[in-house]
Every structure is written in C-alpha cells, then in structure tokens.
Amino acid sequence: GAVVSQHPSRVICKSGTSVKIECRSLDFQATTMFWYRQFPKQSLMLMATSNEGSKATYEQGVEKDKFLINHASLTLSTLTVTSAHPEDSSFYICSARETPRGSPLHFGNGTRLTVT
Amino acid sequence: QQQVKQSPQSLIVQKGGISIINCAYENTAFDYFPWYQQFPGKGPALLIAIRPDVSEKKEGRFTISFNKSAKQFSLHIMDSQPGDSATYFCAASKGSGNTGKLIFGQGTTLQVKP
C-alpha cells in the first residue's frame, strides 16, 4: 500500500531556533499534501494544504510566516517551524493523497516536536 | 464551529463485545466519511470509509452505518479484541469524492478488556 514517510520522528530544539520536518510519499506521487497538528489527547487540526509547485493554503489562525511549507516535488513537502517556542511543542502529522482523484488519504507517523 | 462531532470520548468494551462509536456532521456538502485508527505515537491509519450513496459498508469486523437524513454515521467493531484498543477518529470531507481536506471528529479512546 501507499506509504508516507516523515522525518524526523522526534526532535528537541531550543526556543528561538527553527526546525524542518520532511514528508515524503514513497511509492506514489502526491500533488497535494496536508499538514496537521495534534496536541495530547486531542484531535487532528488541519494547519495547511500543500500543493506541488504553488503556495500553500493555510487554515484560519495558522501563521504562514511561522509555519513555512514548501512542496517542491511530487514526493516531498517540508514544514519549517520558525523561531520555535514552547507552545509550538506538539505532534505534527503530514498526509498525502495519490494523484488520481478519489484516492484515499495516507498519513505519516508524525513528528514529536519539543521546544525547550 | 465543530463540523464533526464524535461520541463517546472514551469507551470500554469486553473482549468479544461490540464497540460502537458515533459521529454527526453539519455540512450537507460532505461526501466522504472515513474512519481512522491511531495508536499512541503513530499517525492515523485508514480503517474504512463510506460515501453517502450507501447506508452501510462492511469490511471484516468493521462496519460503517450511514444515515444521510440524520447526518449521522457510526463505526461498529464486532468481536472487539484487545489489539483494537486505540483512538478512533471519524472524519468528513467535501468536494469531488475524497479529494477535499479532511475534518476530524474529537476522537474516541477505545479500551478492550481481555
């Protein structure tokens, strides 16, 4: 089946630094990828929709200058958390859909970000 | 505005029993309703999904029941096993089938006792 790989799985960084998270579709091409954030024991909240070759679409309340998204190829999207603060500590999960319309959404295994 | 409401928040079921999780939605434009299973520290995995043109879909021990007029859908896990213990999320999306972004319910933590 389709596999979405996220890297790193865990990252600890100091407040004020930036962190990049990679999301790759391993065996399929994905024109659209989605980035979610999940706080402990809570649901997944959509942050942004990443479209290959164009700007990402951010959900209301998500700071686009803080959460930089780049979708440079059909198999890779990156999320960069800039000037991270402790309140950015969360579980970030990407998802990708195969190019043909109607394909299911596959999720990566998430990245646990801890900002100290 | 919570577009997809899920209940119960937590559920304890004995091994072999039936687990039932319910979801209700508001937006009649939603046309794709998947259920995801998530284990701690992992991403969600698609279990089963349904479209509004059918009232029920069964895959193994998992069944989705869909009531379009009531704007409700539910997940039934038959013969629940301890390995089913996880968090379950319903979701919905609109657009041409499942090409739209997914809106998730609040999640249900299921514990199946041996």
Side-chain angles (χ1 to χ4, degrees):
Chain A
V3 177
V4 175
S5 175
Q6 251 182 274
H7 179 80
S9 58
R10 294 176 183 271
V11 58
I12 301 173
C13 70
K14 292 187 177 181
S15 186
T17 61
S18 296
V19 174
K20 180 185 284 188
I21 302 170
E22 292 186 349
C23 179
R24 295 181 184 273
S25 56
L26 295 187
D27 51 0
F28 65 98
Q29 293 183 328
T31 56
T32 303
M33 292 185 175
F34 302 90
W35 286 94
Y36 288 83
R37 180 166 57 182
Q38 186 178 33
F39 291 106
K41 299 188 184 299
Q42 293 191 23
S43 187
L44 289 84
M45 299 301 296
L46 181 64
M47 298 176 65
T49 301
S50 171
N51 299 296
E52 187 267 336
S54 64
K55 291 184 179 180
T57 304
Y58 290 83
E59 295 299 302
Q60 190 174 9
V62 177
E63 300 176 60
K64 62 180 180 181
D65 294 330
K66 180 169 185 61
F67 298 99
L68 300 180
I69 291 173
N70 183 275
H71 193 158
S73 77
L74 285 172
T75 60
L76 174 64
S77 175
T78 60
L79 169 68
T80 301
V81 183
T82 63
S83 187
H85 292 285
E87 56 265 31
D88 297 324
S89 298
S90 187
F91 193 50
Y92 293 87
I93 312 173
C94 73
S95 62
R97 175 172 285 121
E98 298 181 56
T99 300
R101 293 172 72 82
S103 300
L105 195 61
H106 302 286
F107 283 82
N109 268 332
T111 297
R112 172 72 60 193
L113 170 63
T114 303
V115 185
T116 60
Chain B
Q1 182 185 11
Q2 186 65 45
Q3 296 193 59
V4 180
K5 295 183 180 180
Q6 184 173 345
S7 63
Q9 185 175 6
S10 62
L11 181 62
I12 300 175
V13 173
Q14 290 294 130
K15 178 183 176 181
I18 302 174
S19 304
I20 302 174
I21 305 171
N22 301 298
C23 278
Y25 63 97
E26 300 172 359
N27 192 337
T28 55
F30 287 145
D31 60 1
Y32 176 69
F33 304 89
W35 283 90
Y36 283 84
Q37 178 189 58
Q38 184 180 32
F39 293 103
K42 301 294 185 182
L46 178 65
L47 265 180
I48 186 172
I50 198 169
R51 300 184 190 280
D53 53 344
V54 296
S55 60
E56 186 174 284
K57 183 176 182 179
K58 183 177 181 179
E59 289 184 1
R61 296 186 294 111
F62 302 96
T63 299
I64 298 181
S65 296
F66 185 82
N67 186 330
K68 188 174 181 178
S69 60
K71 294 187 288 186
Q72 295 176 348
F73 58 109
S74 60
L75 174 70
H76 295 231
I77 305 175
M78 313 299 287
D79 187 26
S80 299
Q81 299 296 312
D84 296 330
S85 298
T87 300
Y88 292 81
F89 292 96
C90 63
S93 69
K94 62 182 177 180
S96 300
N98 62 335
T99 56
K101 58 187 180 185
L102 281 177
I103 306 299
F104 282 85
Q106 298 91 326
T108 297
T109 301
L110 170 66
Q111 181 184 359
V112 180
K113 290 192 169 182

